[in-house]
Amino acid sequence: MAALRVVLLGPPGAGKGTQAKLLQEKFEACQVSTGDILRNAVADQSPLGKESSEYIKRGALVPDSIIVKLVTQRLKQEDCAKSFILDGFPRTISQAQSLEDMLKKMGSELHSVLSVQVPHDVIVARLAGRRTCKNCGALYHLSFDPTSQEGVCDRCGGELRQRDDDREETISERLKVYDAQTAPLINYYRQRGLLREIDGVGNVEAIRDRVIRALGDLVT
Ligand code: AP5
């Protein structure tokens, strides 16, 4: 299988995590979700978690220096050597520049940036209904992807929880932060000829098919 090194770019709730997990399985790539790494660190009460938790709770971005270090360490691991899917990184122009530098040093490069676009009203509905398994991290949605038994993970029987930053006031802050700091990356990557745009409205399978079509030449 050919190497696949891509970024999934999109607003909160665009479905980046959902699609990254599907791509990870299909293309034997590592999924690097900065949000998941940070949330695990918060749960473990590690120094990284303690430093990041206030930013996450407010819906603000964790400082670039922390994030860049974390991604550099992760990409050096064996399972990311050939293929990776970056989910939630980069989120600022400065992070994108650091990514370019870090890949250059590793003798690697990005193949493509998939920009998943979803209007704000759809995002709010997706985030407000999102539930995650405390135990295995599986993703659900109260209306679009419910579990068979309320509050219980279908995969492992773990308890479901709502993310702290999925409350209404934090969602609106995260959307503002996305528009101000992350949306400029769309043009940044368009200018570099790496951008592939995907309509993120529709069911999970329809979007998975669009993502695979958008990858086109990279996966054939
Ligand atoms: P992070 O965890 O990255 O959050 P996010 O980017 O806001 O994205 P989400 O995880 O909310 O959404 P998603 O696009 O992955 O959607 P999902 O697939 O879950 O970051 C959290 C925080 O960490 C940030 O606010 C920041 O503080 C910090 N952070 C992280 N990275 C950082 C960085 N690089 N720099 C600085 N700070 C950083 O789907 C959402 C819901 O919709 C789910 O319930 C799912 O089941 C459902 N769903 C998905 N697709 C569909 C569909 N097609 N139809 C219906 N429902 C769907």
Side-chain angles (χ1 to χ4, degrees):
M1 196 176 292
L4 184 67
R5 300 185 192 121
V6 295
V7 167
L8 275 176
L9 183 65
K16 302 182 295 296
T18 303
Q19 296 301 326
K21 283 187 174 66
L22 296 174
L23 289 178
Q24 173 193 32
E25 284 162 20
K26 192 170 169 65
F27 298 109
E28 296 166 14
C30 79
Q31 176 198 0
V32 180
S33 160
T34 41
D36 284 348
I37 297 172
L38 292 169
R39 277 184 292 280
N40 288 337
V42 171
D44 293 345
Q45 300 188 318
S46 70
L48 169 67
K50 285 182 186 152
E51 218 172 337
S52 312
S53 80
E54 279 311 310
Y55 295 101
I56 300 174
K57 259 190 218 154
R58 288 205 315 268
L61 293 184
V62 173
D64 289 343
S65 55
I66 299 180
I67 297 289
V68 168
K69 201 165 135 198
L70 178 161
V71 174
T72 308
Q73 284 167 355
R74 183 67 186 94
L75 285 182
K76 283 183 181 160
Q77 288 172 359
E78 185 64 33
D79 61 327
C80 296
K82 187 173 165 197
S83 298
F84 56 75
I85 296 145
L86 295 176
D87 157 17
F89 176 89
R91 252 176 156 95
T92 61
I93 299 280
S94 154
Q95 289 183 14
Q97 289 163 340
S98 299
L99 174 64
E100 231 165 280
D101 292 346
M102 115 183 35
L103 291 177
K104 210 177 275 172
K105 280 187 196 145
M106 294 164 74
S108 177
E109 63 178 359
L110 209 55
H111 295 149
S112 188
V113 174
L114 305 170
S115 167
V116 183
Q117 291 312 314
V118 180
H120 282 195
D121 56 328
V122 176
I123 287 171
V124 174
R126 285 191 189 170
L127 293 181
R130 171 166 52 191
R131 295 294 181 272
T132 315
C133 175
K134 269 184 176 177
N135 184 41
C136 72
L139 266 180
Y140 297 95
H141 190 281
L142 291 180
S143 317
F144 309 133
D145 183 18
T147 48
S148 13
Q149 196 187 334
E150 201 185 319
V152 181
C153 177
D154 285 343
R155 281 201 208 159
C156 74
E159 190 189 335
L160 300 192
R161 66 173 187 101
Q162 183 177 30
R163 269 170 48 174
D164 286 342
D165 61 348
D166 279 349
R167 318 227 173 242
E168 215 175 303
E169 45 313 338
T170 322
I171 293 175
S172 88
E173 182 56 28
R174 286 163 64 201
L175 287 171
K176 279 189 209 149
V177 168
Y178 171 81
D179 287 340
Q181 300 193 57
T182 308
L185 285 174
I186 295 176
N187 257 333
Y188 177 90
Y189 281 121
R190 186 179 286 126
Q191 282 163 6
R192 280 157 182 73
L194 287 171
L195 195 78
R196 301 184 188 203
E197 294 180 86
I198 293 153
D199 173 6
V201 180
N203 65 34
V204 170
E205 293 71 30
I207 294 160
R208 179 204 54 204
D209 293 347
R210 283 175 214 158
V211 167
I212 291 172
R213 261 202 308 279
L215 287 171
D217 51 307
L218 293 174
V219 294
T220 47

